[in-house]
Amino acid sequence: MTTLITNIKELLQVRETSVTKVSGAEMAILPTLKNAYLILKDDLIQDYGLMENLPETNADLTIDATGRVILPTWCDSHTHIVYAGNREQEFVDRINGFSYEEIANRGGGILNSAKKLNETTEEEIYEQSKLRLEEVMHLGTGAVEIKSGYGLTIEGELKMLRVIQKLAQNYPIAIKATFLGAHAFPLHYKENKAGYIDEIITKMLPEIAQNKLADYIDAFCETGYFSVEETEKIMEAGIQFGLKPKIHVNQFNSIGGIQAGIKYNALSVDHLEIMNPEDIEALKNTETMPVALPSCSYFLSIPYTPAREMIKAGLPIALATDFNPGSTPSGNMNFVVATACIKMKMTPEEAINAATINGAYAMGISETHGSITRGKKANLILTKPVSSYYQIPYAFGSNLIESVFLEGKILKQ
């Protein structure tokens, strides 16, 4: 199947030679072609160029993209899409003045989701989760990382990871699975934290590794959750079982989690709402991707990741949704990109780079996703007619997507 798209107003994120990520001042550079064509062959990008150089093409499908922009689909490197039920009541509790920590201390938060998940069948969790996955695909996401972490029992965590695996098998979207057993301490382990960590390491990890259910290991390194020492122990064990670390750090406090992640060569450190100069300095010249989650800051009314300081220091940044029932019940990457521009003062070029090529890096899929490069997956967003790509973050409440292509095929509405 050959698809030819002609008269593209602007083709974004064109990389002749694929790069793995962009950092610092490079983030402001978004390579584009105006009045372009794009040729897709089966599930891959075959060719692109200026309309004046369009070769003879025997296409099965030709699409006229006059007035429209094409860019790679979003790469959402941090989500918790697989869960049961919702936490609407906690949303109201927060409006009434309770903090995230207070809600957690009353049995809400992650433990609330864990209770619901363990009471729900695997089939029902799959049915609920696939609706969320389909929604984000239609919103332009072409690759997604999904974490476990709402089981907090061997059965619950395995159940979540099996659902993630089934979603990956049934949908034309790249899915990476992350084991987040260290999301919170279950109630019955509240006074025996070492006992729960031992269960993660000696019981959960061997089962997960044996069944090849995860790519990454994660921990919520935060005051009241997992200490730096506990997080290091979990990362170390995950590495021994072939899982690379990606960790939650600096959401509410800076306690040394970033430095721990770097020490264990974490692929990414995520959240980063609270950053001190030492944290920024530590990330320089490392292979670890800082990931910001602006819609979480929006929903919880907490600080935003200090993107300008980080980019000025020469760091890369990726953007992701943190889609989850408690602190970010939205998987809309278009809103994330807009919020990064509006609240974090990232330029549209920086935000698009962060949500495509750097997002791909933060999931370990830079070779196949994140840019318009020959041989990469034909995963594309075709916008509605727009004045320029600046309209994507500017018109933050509008859906400007006309079509989404995943693996070379138009996603049916």
Side-chain angles (χ1 to χ4, degrees):
M1 171 80 175
T2 300
T3 302
L4 170 64
I5 309 174
T6 60
N7 302 312
I8 303 162
K9 180 170 184 159
E10 196 159 5
L11 185 60
L12 310 187
Q13 193 57 281
V14 177
R15 305 273 176 182
E16 278 287 323
T17 306
S18 184
V19 296
T20 55
K21 62 180 177 180
V22 288
S23 308
E26 291 175 341
M27 287 197 66
I29 302 164
L30 182 67
T32 75
L33 289 177
K34 292 183 177 177
N35 193 25
Y37 70 87
L38 181 63
I39 301 172
L40 314 178
K41 177 71 173 167
D42 298 327
D43 63 335
L44 301 177
I45 295 167
Q46 185 181 57
D47 198 14
Y48 53 80
L50 299 174
M51 279 302 292
E52 62 198 54
N53 301 323
L54 176 64
E56 277 292 316
T57 306
N58 188 17
D60 301 289
L61 173 67
T62 301
I63 297 167
D64 184 349
T66 299
R68 293 154 174 83
V69 166
I70 287 182
L71 65 155
T73 49
W74 309 121
C75 296
D76 187 354
S77 68
H78 184 127
T79 82
H80 307 253
I81 283 174
V82 171
Y83 59 86
N86 62 59
R87 303 214 309 253
E88 290 168 0
Q89 184 54 51
E90 293 177 16
F91 169 64
V92 178
D93 289 343
R94 270 200 307 280
I95 292 168
N96 287 321
F98 290 96
S99 71
Y100 185 87
E101 291 92 333
E102 285 169 333
I103 289 165
N105 291 335
R106 293 163 64 213
I110 295 162
L111 296 183
N112 183 5
S113 284
K115 183 174 184 292
K116 286 175 179 167
L117 184 122
N118 284 301
E119 290 169 353
T120 307
T121 67
E122 192 167 321
E123 293 70 27
E124 179 53 29
I125 294 164
Y126 176 81
E127 290 301 317
Q128 291 181 30
S129 301
K130 78 174 191 180
L131 296 177
R132 292 186 280 267
L133 183 66
E134 289 168 5
E135 179 190 19
V136 304
M137 287 162 65
H138 282 103
L139 288 167
T141 294
V144 67
E145 179 260 18
I146 308 175
K147 302 177 190 295
S148 69
Y150 291 130
L152 308 184
T153 61
I154 298 170
E155 299 76 19
E157 291 295 308
L158 290 172
K159 183 161 67 171
M160 289 187 77
L161 290 165
R162 283 194 299 267
V163 168
I164 297 168
Q165 187 179 64
K166 190 175 175 183
L167 290 169
Q169 290 164 350
N170 292 346
Y171 286 89
I173 176 172
I175 294 179
K176 290 289 188 177
T178 298
F179 169 51
L180 179 57
H183 202 189
F185 286 97
L187 279 176
H188 57 286
Y189 275 113
K190 204 170 184 184
E191 305 305 320
N192 180 19
K193 292 184 173 181
Y196 182 57
I197 291 167
D198 186 61
E199 187 166 301
I200 288 173
I201 293 169
T202 63
K203 295 182 180 172
M204 295 186 193
L205 271 171
E207 214 38 70
I208 289 160
Q210 189 181 337
N211 293 291
K212 295 187 170 70
L213 288 172
D215 303 290
Y216 303 112
I217 188 154
D218 197 344
F220 188 11
C221 183
E222 182 56 75
T223 304
Y225 291 87
F226 290 80
S227 69
V228 170
E229 190 183 347
E230 289 162 344
T231 299
E232 288 193 348
K233 196 171 181 183
I234 289 156
M235 284 193 287
E236 209 167 85
I239 290 165
Q240 287 172 359
F241 281 100
L243 305 182
K244 195 170 177 67
K246 278 171 66 73
I247 58 170
H248 285 61
V249 290
N250 291 49
Q251 183 173 4
F252 303 110
N253 302 279
S254 175
I255 61 172
I258 286 173
Q259 290 79 356
I262 292 163
K263 179 180 169 183
Y264 287 91
N265 198 26
L267 180 60
S268 69
V269 285
D270 302 28
H271 272 291
L272 315 181
E273 289 88 345
I274 306 299
M275 294 287 280
N276 61 39
E278 294 75 30
D279 295 324
I280 292 174
E281 193 61 35
L283 282 162
K284 287 182 181 178
N285 305 311
T286 72
E287 295 304 308
T288 298
M289 176 64 70
V291 178
L293 310 170
S295 47
C296 178
S297 297
Y298 173 85
F299 193 75
L300 292 182
S301 298
I302 60 176
Y304 288 86
T305 302
R308 290 266 49 95
E309 291 172 43
M310 293 166 68
I311 292 170
K312 188 180 177 186
L315 298 183
I317 293 179
L319 291 169
T321 64
D322 194 23
F323 192 179
N324 76 80
S327 63
T328 324
S330 166
N332 190 340
M333 280 293 287
N334 306 282
F335 178 74
V336 166
V337 167
T339 306
C341 294
I342 297 161
K343 294 294 187 181
M344 292 162 57
K345 302 302 178 195
M346 292 178 75
T347 66
E349 291 82 1
E350 288 168 341
I352 290 169
N353 274 324
T356 55
I357 195 70
N358 283 1
Y361 180 94
M363 321 175 40
I365 58 168
S366 300
E367 287 183 12
T368 52
H369 293 73
S371 67
I372 304 295
T373 302
R374 293 176 187 88
K376 280 197 175 186
K377 286 286 181 186
N379 285 13
L380 316 163
I381 294 170
L382 172 65
T383 70
K384 295 171 182 173
V386 290
S387 52
S388 78
Y389 65 83
Y390 288 173
Q391 207 172 332
I392 297 169
Y394 168 74
F396 69 92
S398 301
N399 182 357
L400 298 177
I401 296 173
E402 185 168 292
S403 302
V404 176
F405 291 74
L406 292 181
E407 301 195 334
K409 293 177 183 169
I410 296 175
L411 195 60
K412 290 186 173 66
Q413 291 301 318

